[in-house]
């Protein structure tokens, strides 16, 4: 049950992070466009300043602030990409969780097949020992059509089956131990990764928010500076 829930969780985690990264990419594209368009302000103010005498210096200074603002987006997006990469790491984390779940499923399948094979061999051994066939089989039909096996043949087959049953029981025991060890070690790793994930994602999201706040403050400062330039004209 725990591994089934973990598989659902990993699917949902990957879906949420993928969607978050797509939204971030769209916002970044729009933001890039907004910043770069401010470069047009810089160009227009500079061209305008060339034809003005009293207003020229103020327009030129305002244009400079706009140029700096437009150019700053490259560093901003580079920093933002760093936080996006931290989120992308947890796409691989989600995939690793699914891989653990798949391995557990395969181990469980092997265990069930080994148990089923052992049960089948025990049934065959019992049928040979008692001479009764509990289920329909091709072997049973063959015996009816062509006669029963000799006691020596039956004893030889019983001996082989007993050896196979012993091997099967040892194999089943080994697979059970292997499965328990896997669950124990895998779950310890999963709990540790969950704690690390909580820390990493919290840190990345807070840093992203702080970066956005800082970016907005820089935008306010640019327009404040531009306002002062216009006031001095």
């Amino acid at each position: 049950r725990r591994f089934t829930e973990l598989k659902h969780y990993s699917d949902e985690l990957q879906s949420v992070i993928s969607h978050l990264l797509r939204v971030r990419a769209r916002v970044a594209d729009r933001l890039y466009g907004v910043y770069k368009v401010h470069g047009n302000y810089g160009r227009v103010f500079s061209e305008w300043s060339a034809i003005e005498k009293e207003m020229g210096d103020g327009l030129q200074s305002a244009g400079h602030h706009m140029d700096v603002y437009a150019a700053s987006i490259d560093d901003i997006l580079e920093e933002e990409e760093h936080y996006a990469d931290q989120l992308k790491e947890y796409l691989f984390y989600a995939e690793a969780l699914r891989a653990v779940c798949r391995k557990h499923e395969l181990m469980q399948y092997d265990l069930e097949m080994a148990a089923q094979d052992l049960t089948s061999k025990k049934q065959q051994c019992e049928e040979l020992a008692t001479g009764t066939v509990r289920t329909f089989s091709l072997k049973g039909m063959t015996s009816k059509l062509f006669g029963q096996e000799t006691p020596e043949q039956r004893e030889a087959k019983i001996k082989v089956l007993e050896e196979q049953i012993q091997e099967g029981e040892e194999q089943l025991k080994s697979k059970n131990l292997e499965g328990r060890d896997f669950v124990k070690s895998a779950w310890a790793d999963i709990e540790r990764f969950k704690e690390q994930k909580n820390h990493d994602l919290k840190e990345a999201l807070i840093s992203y928010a702080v970066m956005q706040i800082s970016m907005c403050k820089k935008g306010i400062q640019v327009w404040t500076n531009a306002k002062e330039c216009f006031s001095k004209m």
Side-chain angles (χ1 to χ4, degrees):
R1 181 182 57 81
R2 288 188 302 172
F3 281 92
T4 301
E5 290 173 354
L6 182 66
K7 186 178 179 181
H8 291 319
Y9 170 76
S10 63
D11 290 340
E12 290 173 357
L13 178 65
Q14 187 169 52
S15 175
V16 167
I17 292 178
S18 296
H19 187 62
L20 181 63
L21 288 168
R22 285 196 295 271
V23 172
R24 186 213 68 88
R26 288 200 300 271
V27 171
D29 285 342
R30 293 175 184 177
L31 196 63
Y32 182 82
V34 169
Y35 267 70
K36 288 304 181 182
V37 166
H38 277 71
N40 293 340
Y41 278 134
R43 178 178 55 79
V44 171
F45 286 147
S46 295
E47 291 175 356
W48 191 3
S49 69
I51 62 171
E52 297 288 350
K53 291 183 179 180
E54 295 180 2
M55 296 171 55
D57 290 343
L59 291 169
Q60 183 70 38
S61 297
H64 171 72
H65 288 303
M66 294 300 168
D67 287 336
V68 171
Y69 184 65
S72 67
I73 188 61
D74 297 318
D75 291 336
I76 289 171
L77 291 184
E78 185 176 341
E79 182 182 356
E80 191 174 300
E81 195 64 34
H82 169 70
Y83 303 127
D85 287 341
Q86 288 181 298
L87 294 176
K88 288 175 186 175
E89 286 182 14
Y90 279 87
L91 292 177
F92 300 114
Y93 165 79
E95 182 56 41
L97 287 182
R98 280 207 296 273
V100 170
C101 293
R102 283 195 297 270
K103 184 172 181 180
H104 179 259
E105 287 172 357
L106 289 172
M107 292 180 75
Q108 191 66 25
Y109 176 78
D110 287 342
L111 181 64
E112 290 170 3
M113 289 299 100
Q116 187 175 322
D117 185 58
L118 180 60
T119 301
S120 175
K121 284 184 168 59
K122 284 182 176 179
Q123 183 177 322
Q124 290 176 43
C125 190
E126 182 185 344
E127 289 173 355
L128 284 170
T130 60
T132 59
V133 180
R134 292 162 60 186
T135 57
F136 173 80
S137 67
L138 181 61
K139 179 184 173 185
M141 288 296 297
T142 303
S143 297
K144 287 182 179 180
L145 290 171
F146 300 104
Q148 295 289 334
E149 297 169 320
T150 64
E152 290 80 9
Q153 289 174 322
R154 191 162 60 250
E155 285 297 323
K157 286 188 176 181
I158 290 173
K159 186 177 180 181
V160 170
L161 280 170
E162 286 175 342
E163 291 174 357
Q164 290 177 345
I165 288 168
Q166 186 177 354
E167 290 175 2
E169 286 176 339
E170 290 174 358
Q171 186 181 32
L172 189 62
K173 183 180 178 181
S174 174
K175 285 183 179 295
N176 265 311
L177 287 172
E178 184 184 356
R180 283 198 292 269
D181 288 342
F182 172 78
V183 169
K184 184 178 178 181
S185 62
W187 209 256
D189 286 340
I190 287 163
E191 290 299 323
R192 188 169 62 253
F193 279 131
K194 279 183 178 179
E195 289 181 10
Q196 186 66 38
K197 176 214 69 178
N198 292 343
H199 174 269
D200 289 348
L201 292 182
K202 178 181 177 181
E203 186 180 72
L205 292 171
I206 289 173
S207 298
Y208 180 72
V210 169
M211 190 212 75
Q212 296 291 329
I213 292 168
S214 175
M215 179 181 65
C216 292
K217 285 180 177 179
K218 288 177 181 177
I220 291 171
Q221 189 59 52
V222 164
W223 281 100
T224 300
N225 292 339
K227 179 187 173 184
E228 291 177 359
C229 292
F230 297 149
S231 298
K232 292 176 183 178
M233 290 192 303

